[in-house]
Structures are given as structure tokens and as C-alpha cells.
Amino acid sequence: MKKICSLFLLLLPLVYSCNREEDIHQDPIQTVEFEAQIIETKTELGEKTGNSYPNYWSVGDAISVNGIASEALASASEYVGTASARFSVTGTLSAPYYYAYPASAVSGYSTGHATVTFPATQQMKSASYDQSAFVMTGSGSSTTLTFNAVMSVIKLTVPGTYDAKISSVMFESLGTEKVSGPFTTDFSGLTAASGATSRVNVYADGDGVLFGSSMFVVIPAQTYASGMRFTICATDGTKMKFSNSNSFTAQTGKIYTLTAKTYSPEPFVIPEGLMVMSSNVRFASARDKSSNPDTGDRDWTNRKSAYYAMVNYYRPAIIGLQEAQKEQVQDIKNN
């Protein structure tokens, strides 16, 4: 069950307003012959009904159970667009079951513990959040799985009649709290791991999003003791920052509506020269060498989100890569 509401107005009264938003409702996922199946799912917000947004399974959704990923929902599946779904699992499974969504975020599973990686970049949407960023977990002995959100969602609106469009939004914690990269979980809570970062970027597709539109930013549910900052970037290269240093507690499974001040671009400064970056990304595959194994923080799976965040923050014109394998180069290009 995911619930989303809030009191964000108390956080930033001088900069923007925030009102309690409707709940998000998530029904349990049903499955049969669970011992031979695993469930993968992905969710999207449906049309608001009363005081809640229904959460529906969509094409390509997949979950992880005891470290095993399920088959994804096909486009022809009868469960697409519904609140409950059945999924096929291939693997040897026994209770208790530890499960998470999305399956692609889970790695290093070991008897009730795993690494969950929050993406450093999210896709900007007007009607729903980026499904890959909305992490849910749960555990139990029943083959009926009930997912609980470990994230919060900020529904952000940037008013204005500016000629350009919104190209990206960067969210930053002003304290030590981490919002992207690897986290460890016991499937009931989260702890930031080495390599986690304090910012996340949300990017618009195509030619950008109109000012005045709503967009969703997914962040881990936690207390942001020193507040937070948003950087709004427009397609013409201008940007605007707004922040507040008041402590804010983002609760699990809640949406916080936030209206920023009217877009007013900061004075544009042309950087001197050309931004060039060189980095040794280190190869992706693990080394079969007991004295120096590439596991944990060294694994590319656990490092790449932090690398994406760094590149997206500095936005170099040219990047030189050392030791990069083909799949790593493609990952970097895609993100």
C-alpha cells in the first residue's frame, strides 16, 4: 500500500507553496505457483479518483523476489492497466520471500539483504513519475506480495510564460543525505552505501516541457535536515535555482505538491574555454582473483549512477575514458 499526501507548506513558506496531495493506492500482486515463478512489475499513476491516485501495472514491469527477476509484463497481458497482476517466476524459491520493484534496481542479494540502486537520472513526465525510480520493497511468507514504497514524490510546477521550455530539473540535498546511487536494504528500510550521491537529475524528452506544467521528482523517504535545492534549466541554456534550508521529512509513499516561484533566469555567464573531462572508469566485469576481487563498491553496477550524476552535473563537451568496455561506453552515452 502506497500513500501519498503532505505538509510541504511548512517547509518552504517563503519560496513556494505546498499542499496535501491525494493518496496513491497499491493493491497486492497476486501470483500462482509461486514456487516456480517470480514477479516483475512497474507502476504508473492512473486518473485521480476521490482522494487517491490508483497505481497500475504497465508493459515491461518486473520485480525481484529473493534476488531473482521475473518475466516482464507483455503488451498483450491482461494485467496491463490493472491494480493486481500475476507474473511467472523461474527459479528455486522458498519462504520467507524478500521482494522489490523494479527488478533492475536490485543486485547483490544475500538472504534478506541486497543492494538497491536509485538512478541518478529520471525521465520527466507530466502524468506520472519515472517508474524506474519509484522503489518498493516488502517481505513475508505469503505468495501474495504487498509492496511498500520507500520513496517520496515531489509534484513540481514551475510557473511562468518564458519563451523557452524546461529541459531538466536537478534536486539536491543540502545536507549529508543521499538520493541516488547504491543503498543497502533489508527490504524494510534503506541505508546509503559508498558511492551514493546527494543529487538527482530529471530530464525532459524531445524539445522540453512547457513552463506551468507539472512534473514528478522521486526521492528517498527520509529527513532532509538541512533542506533542499532545485535547479531549473531551460532549453535556451538559462537556469534558476531555489532552495530552503529548513528541515523537511519526506514520508514513505507520499506525494508533496510544490509550486516554485515564477521562472526568472539567472544572469548568464559564458564559461572560459571548453569543458573537457578525463576519467578512468575502470572495466565493468568482476576479476576472478581472490586477492583483489572487483565486488561491492568496485562493481560497475554500484558505481555507474554516481558517474552519471558527476557527468550530468559538469556537462563536459568532451569526455575521455580509460579502461572503458563497450557496454560501459554505451551506458554513459545513454545516460
Side-chain angles (χ1 to χ4, degrees):
M1 180 70 69
K2 298 180 297 182
K3 297 248 180 215
I4 298 197
C5 53
S6 211
L7 301 173
F8 204 75
L9 179 60
L10 300 178
L11 173 63
L12 302 174
L14 301 180
V15 182
Y16 36 67
S17 63
C18 181
N19 303 306
R20 180 186 177 96
E21 185 68 13
E22 292 81 0
D23 293 342
I24 286 182
H25 178 70
Q26 175 65 56
D27 288 337
I29 302 172
Q30 306 291 332
T31 188
V32 294
E33 298 181 349
F34 182 71
E35 68 279 3
Q37 299 181 336
I38 188 168
I39 304 172
E40 275 197 355
T41 58
K42 189 163 67 177
T43 55
E44 291 185 356
L45 294 178
E47 293 293 331
K48 182 176 64 176
T49 302
N51 292 322
S52 68
Y53 285 112
N55 241 356
Y56 295 133
W57 304 118
S58 61
V59 176
D61 286 348
I63 65 169
S64 171
V65 178
N66 291 5
I68 306 174
S70 74
E71 294 181 3
L73 281 181
S75 58
S77 172
E78 63 182 294
Y79 301 114
V80 172
T82 67
S84 298
R86 296 184 179 183
F87 300 86
S88 296
V89 177
T90 301
T92 302
L93 294 169
S94 59
Y97 305 118
Y98 297 92
Y99 40 93
Y101 165 86
S104 58
V106 181
S107 63
Y109 177 83
S110 177
T111 315
H113 294 82
T115 295
V116 175
T117 301
F118 300 144
T121 61
Q122 298 176 22
Q123 181 182 0
M124 192 177 295
K125 297 185 176 184
S126 60
S128 184
Y129 47 72
D130 185 334
Q131 299 97 320
S132 67
F134 197 86
V135 176
M136 300 182 290
T137 62
S139 62
S141 298
S142 173
T143 55
T144 297
L145 310 180
T146 302
F147 285 87
N148 298 301
V150 294
M151 311 296 288
S152 295
V153 179
I154 295 176
K155 185 180 181 181
L156 174 67
T157 302
V158 183
T161 56
Y162 195 66
D163 290 339
K165 296 181 180 180
I166 300 172
S167 62
S168 67
V169 174
M170 180 169 68
F171 171 92
E172 294 179 274
S173 164
L174 294 179
T176 59
E177 300 84 18
K178 307 302 182 182
V179 299
S180 65
F183 286 67
T184 58
T185 182
D186 60 359
F187 296 87
S188 64
L190 299 167
T191 302
S194 176
T197 68
S198 60
R199 63 174 63 95
V200 64
N201 288 277
V202 185
Y203 290 99
D205 289 333
D207 60 354
V209 172
L210 290 171
F211 283 91
S213 303
S214 295
M215 62 202 78
F216 294 82
V217 183
V218 182
I219 59 175
Q222 59 188 331
T223 297
Y224 295 87
S226 299
M228 57 188 67
R229 175 167 55 218
F230 293 85
T231 301
I232 310 300
C233 295
T235 52
D236 63 353
T238 61
K239 64 181 178 180
M240 178 187 76
K241 294 182 180 180
F242 61 100
S243 61
N244 191 281
S245 59
N246 293 338
S247 177
F248 167 61
T249 299
Q251 300 181 41
T252 57
K254 294 182 182 291
I255 289 178
Y256 297 85
T257 57
L258 183 158
T259 300
K261 62 183 181 181
T262 300
Y263 187 75
S264 178
E266 299 174 357
F268 183 70
V269 178
I270 300 176
E272 296 182 2
L274 186 69
M275 174 66 76
V276 178
M277 177 183 291
S278 178
S279 57
N280 187 332
V281 298
R282 191 177 178 88
F283 50 83
S285 57
R287 295 173 93 178
D288 186 15
K289 187 176 180 182
S290 59
S291 61
N292 187 22
D294 283 329
T295 57
D297 295 341
R298 291 185 176 187
D299 188 86
W300 175 242
T301 300
N302 296 330
R303 292 188 288 114
K304 60 184 179 181
S305 290
Y307 188 84
Y308 301 156
M310 177 183 68
V311 173
N312 286 319
Y313 178 77
Y314 290 107
R315 308 294 289 177
I318 300 173
I319 307 175
L321 304 175
Q322 292 175 273
E323 294 192 42
Q325 295 176 313
K326 182 178 180 180
E327 63 268 25
Q328 290 175 291
V329 175
Q330 191 61 51
D331 284 347
I332 294 167
K333 290 171 66 177
N334 290 343
N335 286 275

